[in-house]
Amino acid sequence: MEATTFVLFGATGDLAKRKIYPALYNLFVDQKLPQSFSVIGLGRRELSDQTFQANVEQSLHMFSRREANDPDVMKKFLRAFRYSVLDVGRKEDYQKLLKLIEQQEEEQRMEPNRMFYLSVGPEFFEPITANIHESGLGSAYGWKRLVIEKPFGHDLQSARDLNHNLGKVFTEDEIFRVDHYLGKPMVQKLEVLQQSNPVLQALWNNRYIANVQITANEIVGVEERAGYYDHVGAVRDMFQNHMLQLLMMLTIHLPNNSTSENIRYKKKLVMESLEKLQKEDVSSYVVRGQYEAGTIQGQSVVGYTSEPNIAAASSNDTFIAAKLQIDDYFWRGVPFYIRTGKRMKDKSTRLVIEFKEPLKQPGANDDNKTPNLLVIEIGPHEGISLQLNTRDPLNKGKFKPMHIDFHENRDHVPEAYENLIRDALHGDPTFFAHWDEVELSWQWVQPILDAYKENLVPLHHYAAGSYGPAESDELLEQDGYHWWFDDKSETEIESIKGEQYAYHTNN
Ligand SMILES: NC(=O)C1=CN([C@@H]2O[C@H](COP(=O)(O)OP(=O)(O)OC[C@H]3O[C@@H](n4cnc5c(N)ncnc54)[C@H](OP(=O)(O)O)[C@@H]3O)[C@@H](O)[C@H]2O)C=CC1
Ligand SMILES: O=C1O[C@H](COP(=O)(O)O)[C@@H](O)[C@H](O)[C@H]1O
């Protein structure tokens, strides 16, 4: 891998500590970092290199899932870290940074390849890139890359403006927009799963699939992020990016040996084929919710408007469910139900593909048949299971469901940020959001934002610890379906559950 200087804006921040340093450490231990690699951390705080290194080490002890106890390994890892004070608006700080980078590149005889990672608030994205340009930081003869965190804009227009301004300094090929859901190992497997399994490939269309359900439920509430979250809500925080990316990854049809370009092109086609919403119709397809007080796992929790720093009159959304349709050859007529919410009963990100019922035989006693389901668990645990029907010889030959389960059982499954940082270091854009996808996602979501703003969509309250407002169930019930694996449907499954065929792997 090519020599790289990793220039981290926001090196003293929460994301750096919780995600970026643990990911770099894991890559280092697995020997997936370039031989010549240095990190330059930036922030306004005055820190010596030693203090910075000690802070990085401390964050590994707090947040790394992997043991970080070997002092020799730690020492070698931390050797790559330097710190420089930089205030985003102070031009002289960029000059100082340039000198430091050039000096390091010279001392270590490194190619001047520079990866600028913006782990700072979105208001800093534009001034930082402009200063990278003006200071000459981006003008060395090696490559330059920009890794940019969310949120990418607040609505369609602001996203376009931001992209236009970034584009003055970095080309699309040089911009790596992080959507950490694309870094999740199971999401990265979706493409291969479909592409290299003819069985799935053959079934991946409206002839066999009745509906698709995409869920990202969270137990946590707004936490300490009131200032950010109360302005974005579930629609911008999760739906516009993560949920639509899951939809794209699940529905693309790929040729064998697809390239990054194929994948991104096909994702774009999916977004272009999404049936558009009109602002006036949003309330028929979208359910907007906000949590009230309730109990989660035996603990009482307050409602959203009683959370610290949230106004008592806030009508911000903490839940969204939506029905979407893709108007293309493969998916026409298949409803896609998407939901995500905070303070839900459990933490789970999953895709459920419900297959169509086979034609019923006249007079056949097959009432207790359940649909075939393919369930892809993305988190917190990875897994795939298939629900099939079989005969129960002990119960008058009635049908009973059989489950084939696969659960990832490896000691160390890479975390999303590990995959993404490794890909960015390799210059592989496959699992980063291309501008076309981002723009089309904002375009699709914009009528929802407008309808919310004009109060055209009722705000339904739900108890913390539930699965969201009843209206979210009704969205499916009107089409004759229900959300799988909520209490109701779980009980149904439990009551008829048969043998479990489990397949575990240690690969
Ligand atoms: N935290 C998370 O889990 C997630 C965060 N994100 C995104 O990542 C980005 C960073 O988030 P997070 O780490 O939580 O934010 P924090 O508020 O924890 O950290 C912000 C960082 O920016 C630096 N900073 C603030 N003002 C300036 C300035 N004027 N000049 C230079 N540096 C400055 C701070 O350093 P100092 O105070 O030393 O100047 C600090 O290192 C945001 O865009 C956020 O939306 C995305 C997904 C998840
Ligand atoms: O981007 C975000 O994602 C998290 C949920 O991520 P997960 O990996 O735990 O599923 C969410 O809590 C946060 O509000 C949002 O900004």
Side-chain angles (χ1 to χ4, degrees), residues 447-459:
I448 304 181
L449 304 181
D450 296 340
Y452 279 15
K453 200 168 165 193
E454 293 175 34
N455 252 323
L456 301 177
V457 184
L459 180 70

Side-chain angles (χ1 to χ4, degrees), residues 234-454:
V235 63
R236 293 181 173 93
D237 184 47
M238 294 287 292
F239 189 90
Q240 178 273 333
N241 38 71
H242 305 322
M243 305 311 283
L244 289 179
Q245 282 292 345
L246 289 180
L247 175 78
M248 289 179 239
M249 291 305 292
L250 187 72
T251 53
I252 42 175
H253 282 81
L254 295 168
N256 277 338
N257 303 320
S258 303
T259 59
S260 174
E261 285 79 42
N262 289 143
I263 295 174
R264 289 166 134 208
Y265 174 67
K266 296 278 181 173
K267 284 170 76 180
K268 185 178 163 194
L269 290 188
V270 167
M271 285 311 297
E272 284 172 344
S273 308
L274 263 190
E275 283 186 9
K276 293 186 181 32
L277 285 182
Q278 299 302 321
K279 187 175 69 178
E280 293 71 23
D281 301 333
V282 169
S283 61
S284 308
Y285 294 92
V286 173
V287 176
R288 174 195 195 192
Q290 187 189 81
Y291 64 81
E292 288 183 327
T295 306
I296 305 186
Q297 298 178 345
Q299 301 259 316
S300 299
V301 297
V302 299
Y304 180 70
T305 51
S306 304
E307 296 275 16
N309 304 318
I310 300 288
S314 171
S315 58
N316 189 36
D317 52 304
T318 62
F319 175 95
I320 178 171
K323 173 180 167 181
L324 297 85
Q325 310 246 31
I326 301 173
D327 186 20
D328 72 4
Y329 170 79
F330 295 107
W331 297 112
R332 192 165 298 126
V334 179
F336 288 81
Y337 305 104
I338 298 184
R339 67 175 165 175
T340 178
K342 293 209 181 276
R343 287 288 190 228
M344 306 286 275
K345 184 163 185 179
D346 46 40
K347 166 81 183 161
S348 102
T349 307
R350 84 161 65 90
L351 315 174
V352 179
I353 293 104
E354 178 175 336
F355 290 92
K356 288 186 173 168
E357 301 270 354
L359 287 178
K360 294 214 172 188
Q361 299 297 320
N365 177 16
D366 56 1
D367 285 350
N368 66 335
K369 262 189 189 169
T370 53
N372 288 163
L373 300 177
L374 176 67
V375 184
I376 301 174
E377 299 282 354
I378 292 169
H381 306 292
E382 275 195 18
I384 300 180
S385 76
L386 184 62
Q387 175 177 291
L388 304 171
N389 279 297
T390 184
R391 290 258 179 217
D392 183 355
L394 301 177
N395 191 7
K396 295 187 185 150
K398 283 193 163 183
F399 290 100
K400 66 174 187 174
M402 171 179 106
H403 298 91
I404 302 176
D405 292 337
F406 160 82
H407 287 284
E408 192 59 84
N409 222 3
R410 284 187 297 173
D411 281 349
H412 174 65
V413 178
E415 286 198 54
Y417 272 85
E418 220 173 304
N419 286 333
L420 294 174
I421 291 175
R422 186 205 55 210
D423 287 353
L425 287 167
H426 276 106
D428 180 350
T430 313
F431 295 109
F432 292 87
H434 189 280
W435 166 243
D436 293 341
E437 297 154 25
V438 176
E439 185 180 35
L440 286 161
S441 304
W442 277 121
Q443 234 164 34
W444 196 84
V445 160
Q446 190 61 48
I448 304 181
L449 304 181
D450 296 340
Y452 279 15
K453 200 168 165 193
E454 293 175 34

